[in-house]
Amino acid sequence: MSAPASPTSSTTKARYIMIGGFLGAGKTTAIGKLARTLTDQGLKVGLITNDQAGGLVDTKLLRTQGFATEEIAGGCFCCRFNTLVDAAAKLNDATKPDVFIAEPVGSCTDLVATVTYPLRRMYGEAYSIAPLSVLVDPVRARRVLGLDAGGNFSSKVTYIYKKQLEEADIIVVNKRDLLTPEQLAELTEALQKAFPQAKIVDASAREEDGLTGWFGSLSSEAQPGNRAAMELDYEVYADGEALLGWLNATVTLVAEDEFDANGYLRCLAGSIQEKLAVQQAEVAHLKMTYSPDDGIGGEIASVNLVRNDNVAETGMTLDEPSTGGQLILNLRAETDPEALLKAVKESLVIAGEIYPGLKSTLDHEEHFRPGKPEPTYRDGEAPN
């Protein structure tokens, strides 16, 4: 595979920004805000989303906001490196972005050795690489670091979570509004002690608070060039990923009369949450979007759930009732994938009883455990 031409001109490199973080950390919201900020500065932006399977809520949300977006399915960036480069080339052919923003799978780690170092080595003439940012949900982070009690993942899943932080150049405590100033200070101190290589910043992407400094670093700073790749036990990594059940589904909704799609999504999310809680299956992330057939201007409704003891949050809302459309559902939890499918199917029935006259048809679904990561490349050192 030949190196792509420079995305902007023969003398200007495109910026490559990768924003990682565990499932539910708020990556898609942050990426949308960053893309909008860069666009408002007059830059062209191309986005690349990534998942173990196709049909991503993230892709739908970002495209709805008007951004050119390519989706890579079937494995993490580390295992689909050539496809990642091809996706960037496709965006380059279409819109010639000045900046590429990549969102890796939320259960993926080892991104420096398997993505950014190979990218710098093979395509350094085309891209300048920004520091790797890793976002954390502050409530989840406090539990993982032992600052608070509460629902959590098993040790091998937590291994992946901590490895993501270990390789970060910048750790972003997102959703800082969920903590008191004292809790935020305590979490920042614990993160800095555990991961001294990283710069710790805090922000709220949804509230557009505290983003300026972080976005400035992503636009102007370079990825450190003197760090060796972190040590990673790929057997533990594979075991941890395999503990996570994965489900992507699309559902067609048809109503006899108008219905409140915003309320329906909250109802469906609540039912799924209750059924998984009974099994003590720790939810990593549940995301849903609903696109009405009669919507204009890319209007959608969305909800988001990131923990068992959290309440599903409304993201985007529809101003008018709907008579039908398409629901995209992404669910990740530490449990058997069959349990996820069962919970979704039963919840569709329950939601249909609460919203009589509304028919749901499960058009497509994939439920599975992620396979063992097998990187295309793994560079132990930063290129010269």
Side-chain angles (χ1 to χ4, degrees):
M1 182 176 59
S2 59
S6 176
T8 53
S9 72
S10 58
T11 59
T12 304
K13 295 181 180 183
R15 188 73 165 167
Y16 177 88
I17 299 172
M18 187 157 54
I19 297 178
F22 206 76
L23 300 156
K27 298 185 294 299
T28 305
T29 300
I31 286 171
K33 301 297 184 183
L34 173 60
R36 178 56 55 202
T37 298
L38 295 172
T39 300
D40 290 346
Q41 293 172 3
L43 297 172
K44 293 181 180 178
V45 180
L47 308 181
I48 305 174
T49 59
N50 183 212
D51 196 54
Q52 301 284 358
L56 272 184
V57 166
D58 296 350
T59 305
K60 181 71 174 181
L61 289 170
L62 294 170
R63 285 177 177 164
T64 297
Q65 296 174 58
F67 301 120
T69 308
E70 287 292 314
E71 178 178 298
I72 297 177
C76 302
F77 284 149
C78 61
C79 306
R80 308 282 323 269
F81 180 85
N82 293 339
T83 307
L84 170 63
V85 175
D86 290 344
K90 186 174 180 180
L91 286 167
N92 184 51
D93 291 341
T95 60
K96 290 186 168 39
D98 303 295
V99 183
F100 294 86
I101 307 175
E103 178 187 1
V105 176
S107 61
C108 187
T109 189
D110 206 27
L111 294 165
V112 171
T114 64
V115 179
T116 58
Y117 281 0
L119 197 64
R120 286 169 56 180
R121 172 169 55 83
M122 291 184 279
Y123 303 105
E125 295 302 313
Y127 303 108
S128 65
I129 311 299
L132 172 63
S133 294
V134 173
L135 273 64
V136 296
D137 174 291
V139 177
R140 177 75 69 190
R142 284 182 60 87
R143 293 177 183 179
V144 168
L145 295 178
L147 300 177
D148 289 330
N152 214 336
F153 300 114
S154 62
S155 61
K156 290 184 178 180
V157 176
T158 301
Y159 176 81
I160 299 173
Y161 187 103
K162 290 183 176 180
K163 281 295 179 179
Q164 289 181 344
L165 299 175
E166 184 179 333
E167 69 172 344
D169 300 311
I170 303 173
I171 295 175
V172 182
V173 180
N174 193 22
K175 313 177 194 178
R176 67 182 185 187
D177 49 297
L178 298 181
L179 301 183
T180 66
E182 293 76 17
Q183 289 173 323
L184 179 59
E186 185 182 33
L187 176 57
T188 299
E189 182 180 355
L191 286 167
Q192 195 67 80
K193 181 178 180 180
F195 308 102
Q197 86 291 341
K199 177 168 68 174
I200 314 295
V201 301
D202 57 80
S204 174
R206 175 171 289 187
E207 301 298 327
E208 299 188 40
D209 184 28
L211 299 175
T212 302
W214 174 40
F215 286 177
S217 295
L218 296 180
S219 297
S220 62
E221 297 176 9
Q223 181 184 45
N226 57 354
R227 285 178 56 191
M230 70 176 181
E231 295 183 2
L232 181 67
D233 187 327
Y234 263 79
E235 295 302 320
V236 178
Y237 178 14
D239 289 346
E241 281 215 297
L243 289 171
L244 294 168
W246 223 261
L247 183 143
N248 286 4
T250 56
V251 179
T252 296
L253 299 177
V254 179
E256 296 177 359
D257 199 357
E258 293 182 335
F259 74 104
D260 174 16
N262 306 311
Y264 178 86
L265 289 184
R266 291 192 296 270
C267 172
L268 183 59
S271 178
I272 293 171
Q273 180 180 11
E274 288 177 6
K275 292 189 175 300
L276 294 178
V278 169
Q279 304 174 35
Q280 296 184 322
E282 183 65 24
V283 172
H285 209 175
L286 167 62
K287 297 181 285 185
M288 291 187 284
T289 60
Y290 172 76
S291 305
D293 292 334
D294 56 356
I296 58 175
E299 294 176 328
I300 64 172
S302 66
V303 298
N304 179 58
L305 176 71
V306 299
R307 295 181 305 277
N308 284 26
D309 55 358
N310 193 26
V311 176
E313 297 178 340
T314 299
M316 304 176 76
T317 59
L318 295 176
D319 294 331
E320 301 291 337
S322 175
T323 57
Q326 184 187 60
L327 171 70
I328 300 177
L329 187 153
N330 298 161
L331 174 59
R332 294 83 172 91
E334 188 172 353
T335 191
D336 191 313
E338 291 289 343
L340 300 184
L341 181 59
K342 185 173 184 290
V344 168
K345 285 183 173 180
E346 291 179 350
S347 295
L348 286 170
V349 172
I350 292 171
E353 293 171 348
I354 296 174
Y355 287 78
L358 179 60
K359 179 183 178 182
S360 63
T361 303
L362 183 59
D363 298 319
H364 173 76
E365 65 83 13
E366 298 176 73
H367 63 288
F368 57 90
R369 297 185 188 275
K372 181 179 181 179
E374 296 181 357
T376 308
Y377 305 100
R378 191 174 194 274
D379 290 7
E381 302 286 342
N384 295 326

